[in-house]
Amino acid sequence: MRRTNKEMVTLRKVESRSDRKEIKKIFLEAFPPEERPPYRILCRKARKETVGFDGVYDGDKLVGMTYVVKGYGIAYVFFLAIKHEERGSGYGSQALKLLKEKYKDSRLFLALEQQDETAKNYSQRKKRHEFYQRCGLVDMPYRIKEGTVVYDVMGTGGEVSPDEYKRLIEDYLGKIMSRFVDMRFMNK
């Protein structure tokens, strides 16, 4: 397992067409269809100044991607993914550390698969949860429903209220679209 040179890992806005294509491959490979919106919509929404859509780079080499929506003192990590062949090299923890620095004035949170012991991929879910714990995130007393999927919530910097989440999502999606997409906090 290769380790990263932590001084070389950075988050940068993706500018080149080839890197955008590579980010799309990472996105499609890392997330199942029911967990991902159309890539074109993500790119369109990324034009907002409240959205950070960055590549994770080791020097000039693209190794992953992040997608964060911020506002109201919170920053929601919609997506964090490392290329399949680069996983286990420290890039994920370094990317999360960089996100915590970039959004240090916000309470950072993310959604992850529920810790359902009956799930076929429970061991993978458990490892992912433990990874986020090692990176300093803690479980929150809510779940997030996005479309048909319900997630557990973890974060750092303090709790996020359902009202804050609702306002953030309404700003991100827009008033009309947010009426048609079921995204909300739920009690555990």
Side-chain angles (χ1 to χ4, degrees):
M1 166 172 35
R2 189 173 68 80
R3 285 282 169 218
T4 64
N5 177 349
K6 293 183 180 8
E7 284 88 43
M8 298 298 293
V9 178
T10 58
L11 296 177
R12 293 195 310 258
K13 185 174 179 171
V14 178
E15 301 290 346
S16 78
R17 181 170 286 183
S18 64
D19 281 358
R20 285 190 195 129
K21 286 182 180 181
E22 191 65 26
I23 291 264
K24 184 176 182 180
K25 286 180 190 175
I26 295 167
F27 174 72
L28 294 174
E29 185 269 330
F31 301 99
E34 66 275 8
E35 293 184 14
R36 61 177 191 244
Y39 188 73
R40 288 180 48 200
I41 290 176
L42 287 179
C43 292
R44 190 173 327 126
K45 295 290 185 184
R47 295 178 191 147
K48 294 181 167 208
E49 74 176 50
T50 57
V51 176
F53 190 14
D54 296 319
V56 179
Y57 290 88
D58 184 351
D60 290 329
K61 178 182 169 187
L62 178 67
V63 296
M65 54 88 63
T66 67
Y67 192 97
V68 179
V69 178
K70 63 179 180 155
Y72 306 103
I74 59 177
Y76 180 19
V77 181
F78 267 39
F79 299 104
L80 166 60
I82 303 300
K83 283 183 177 181
H84 181 73
E85 63 272 15
E86 300 291 351
R87 292 181 192 155
S89 299
Y91 290 123
S93 56
Q94 188 60 28
L96 198 51
K97 180 181 177 188
L98 292 169
L99 288 174
K100 286 164 57 174
E101 290 172 13
K102 183 175 181 176
Y103 299 103
K104 65 182 175 225
D105 296 331
S106 298
R107 289 162 285 144
L108 188 79
F109 70 106
L110 53 81
L112 70 157
E113 294 169 302
Q114 291 185 60
Q115 296 302 297
D116 177 0
E117 293 180 14
T118 64
K120 289 180 184 177
N121 68 340
Y122 175 67
S123 64
Q124 183 185 46
R125 292 177 183 209
K126 186 176 178 182
K127 286 179 186 176
R128 192 171 292 124
H129 183 261
E130 290 168 349
F131 164 76
Y132 288 124
Q133 283 180 319
R134 284 192 308 275
C135 290
L137 277 68
V138 297
D139 293 309
M140 292 194 177
Y142 299 104
R143 290 200 165 103
I144 289 178
K145 183 173 194 288
E146 295 183 347
T148 61
V149 183
V150 178
Y151 300 95
D152 286 341
V153 181
M154 296 183 79
T156 185
E159 281 192 25
V160 175
S161 76
D163 287 337
E164 290 171 317
Y165 173 79
K166 181 181 178 183
R167 287 190 343 219
L168 181 76
I169 294 304
E170 283 178 353
D171 283 357
Y172 173 72
L173 293 176
K175 297 276 186 204
I176 295 171
M177 190 179 215
S178 64
R179 290 184 193 151
F180 297 103
V181 179
D182 187 8
M183 293 180 74
R184 58 189 155 97
F185 263 33
M186 301 168 22
N187 290 323
K188 278 190 173 178

